[in-house]
Amino acid sequence: MNSNLEKKIGIFSGSFDPPHKGHVHISKIFLKKLKLDQVIWSVSKKNPLIKKKYYFNYNKRINLSKKITKKIKKISVTKTDRKYSYQLINFLKKKYKKSKLFFLVGSDNLQKFHQWKNFKSILKSSTLVVISRPGYDAKVKKSFFYKKYKNKLIKNYKNLNNNAEKSWFFIKDKGVKISSSKIKIALYSK
C-alpha cells in the first residue's frame, strides 16, 4: 500500500478473557467488509463498567491474544490500553495521523454505550462499527443509543468513506456460538 494514502484501521478493544475463535471470526469480518488495512486488538486491563475479577491476568490475556492471532498478518495485539475508549482512540489518532479509524464493538455493547465515558467523543473521532452478537440484535433497536442515533446509521458499505465520522454502521453476522463467559464457566467448573 502506498504510504501517502490514508490507511483504514479498526480498533477492537476488550478484555479478551480469554480470547477465542469468535474474536478472530469477527475480526476477519471487519477486515473483509470494511476493507481495513489493519485491526488492532487493544487488550483492556480493566473495564470501568464491569466490577469483576478477570480469570486470566493482563499479561496472560495479551500472550493468549498474540498466540491466537499470530497467523493473521493484518491483526496486531497491543498493550496500548487506556482507562477509557475515547482516550485510546485519541491516542491512536495521534499515532496514525493519516489513518481513518473504525471503533469495532459487538451489538451487546450498544445497550450501555451511552454510559461510556465521553461516548460522543468516540463518535466524533472514529466511525463506530457494530457487529451482531447472538441474542443481542433484537435489543439493539430498544437501546437508548439506537433511538438517539438511528438517523446517523450508515446503511450501505459504499458510504463508508472519509465522511463517515460522526456516523455508525451495523454488520449482520450469524456469529460463532462461543463467548469468553462460557469458556470461563467451563474453566471454573473443572
Side-chain angles (χ1 to χ4, degrees):
M1 177 172 205
N2 185 334
S3 61
N4 292 327
L5 295 177
E6 181 180 81
K7 288 187 176 183
K8 293 168 73 177
I9 298 175
I11 304 164
F12 188 25
S13 181
S15 60
F16 298 99
D17 186 33
H20 54 72
K21 65 182 181 181
H23 294 126
V24 174
H25 169 79
I26 62 177
S27 294
K28 287 179 177 177
I29 290 173
F30 289 136
L31 284 164
K32 182 180 176 184
K33 297 271 187 187
L34 303 172
K35 296 179 175 42
L36 298 177
D37 297 293
Q38 179 183 12
V39 169
I40 297 171
W41 280 23
S42 175
V43 180
S44 305
K45 288 181 183 173
K46 181 80 176 111
N47 181 331
L49 290 179
I50 299 173
K51 309 292 184 211
K52 65 172 186 168
K53 284 186 171 183
Y54 290 106
Y55 187 85
F56 293 107
N57 70 39
Y58 181 64
N59 286 328
K60 179 74 171 176
R61 290 183 281 131
I62 290 280
N63 291 334
L64 289 170
S65 296
K66 286 180 178 180
K67 184 176 180 181
I68 200 169
T69 61
K70 73 179 176 185
K71 293 183 180 178
I72 307 164
K73 291 179 184 175
K74 290 189 173 187
I75 298 176
S76 61
V77 177
T78 179
K79 281 187 167 184
T80 308
D81 181 46
R82 297 294 182 267
K83 184 173 182 179
Y84 297 108
S85 296
Y86 81 93
Q87 294 170 325
L88 173 65
I89 294 168
N90 290 339
F91 173 81
L92 293 173
K93 200 162 186 74
K94 289 175 187 170
K95 184 175 180 179
Y96 300 102
K97 290 180 180 152
K98 292 185 178 183
S99 298
K100 171 117 184 80
L101 300 182
F102 295 82
F103 189 66
L104 315 171
V105 299
S107 58
D108 55 318
N109 285 292
L110 273 199
Q111 290 178 280
K112 292 187 176 183
F113 189 71
H114 66 284
Q115 295 175 2
W116 289 24
K117 182 91 168 173
N118 290 344
F119 79 95
K120 290 179 184 176
S121 175
I122 295 170
L123 299 173
K124 289 178 185 172
S125 55
S126 65
T127 300
L128 177 66
V129 182
V130 181
I131 192 165
S132 297
R133 287 273 325 258
Y136 288 94
D137 290 358
K139 297 172 186 173
V140 167
K141 291 186 177 180
K142 295 177 183 175
S143 71
F144 172 86
F145 178 84
Y146 181 84
K147 290 174 185 174
K148 182 151 175 82
Y149 292 94
K150 65 182 172 187
N151 63 327
K152 304 255 187 212
L153 177 63
I154 301 168
K155 298 191 179 180
N156 188 325
Y157 290 109
K158 293 176 185 174
N159 294 331
L160 279 174
N161 56 30
N162 292 338
N163 301 319
E165 289 184 359
K166 301 181 184 176
S167 315
W168 66 289
F169 189 71
F170 189 84
I171 297 175
K172 281 283 217 187
D173 180 53
K174 291 179 183 173
V176 176
K177 300 282 185 189
I178 190 169
S179 72
S180 295
S181 298
K182 288 180 182 177
I183 293 170
K184 285 183 281 203
I185 289 169
L187 291 171
Y188 279 121
S189 64
K190 287 185 177 182

